[in-house]
Amino acid sequence: MFFRAMILICAAAGAASAQEPDPQDGRDLYRTYCWQCHGRDATGTGPMAEMLAIETPDLTRLAARNGGTFPLEAVARQVDGRAPVLAHGGEMPLFGPVLDSDQQVALALPSGQPMMTGLPLANVIAYLQSVQAD
């Protein structure tokens, strides 16, 4: 849908790939790495949330808190560690190395500039976009 128009997949060698980010694959990764803090439903109510120094954000409201536009670049940078987020006295766990791969995806930012990231991270972003509340 709208996310497909924003993605171009490139293999590490530079050849084009037909694979697109998959929200279901992203959901599986989310349920492995993110749910403990952000909750199974991504509303910030995970079992670890009460131990954090800051309130765990409701990830279903990212677009609503950003004027109705999903903050793609900010989400990618926070998850992969390019923009640290404070949590329990330290930074949010950095999953960039886990979510990186040889299959690179060019995320089209609102400016039109591409932001390269691994396919697994693009899958998580596709999942988070799919759970945005109105």
Side-chain angles (χ1 to χ4, degrees):
M1 154 159 100
F2 65 91
F3 192 68
R4 289 182 184 156
M6 296 172 38
I7 301 296
L8 169 66
I9 308 278
C10 300
S17 170
Q19 190 171 2
E20 291 184 19
D22 183 346
Q24 292 305 313
D25 287 348
R27 182 193 67 167
D28 294 343
L29 289 166
Y30 175 90
R31 289 186 175 171
T32 299
Y33 298 106
C34 312
W35 79 271
Q36 297 88 349
C37 295
H38 294 283
R40 287 214 180 266
D41 60 359
T43 59
T45 58
M48 299 296 290
E50 66 186 42
M51 295 181 223
L52 304 177
I54 63 169
E55 184 176 341
T56 306
D58 178 347
L59 300 178
T60 68
R61 309 281 307 152
L62 294 170
R65 288 192 308 268
N66 192 50
T69 301
F70 185 81
L72 184 116
E73 181 177 15
V75 170
R77 289 180 179 279
Q78 288 176 349
V79 174
D80 73 9
R82 287 182 264 185
V85 177
L86 295 181
H88 44 81
E91 295 177 353
M92 181 178 87
L94 302 179
F95 295 112
V98 174
L99 298 177
D100 200 7
S101 80
D102 289 341
Q103 288 186 298
Q104 293 291 299
V105 177
L107 302 175
L109 301 176
S111 67
Q113 294 297 312
M115 177 180 187
M116 298 305 293
T117 190
L119 181 59
L121 177 55
N123 288 338
V124 171
I125 291 170
Y127 169 69
L128 291 175
Q129 284 184 306
S130 76
V131 299
Q132 294 305 293
D134 293 331

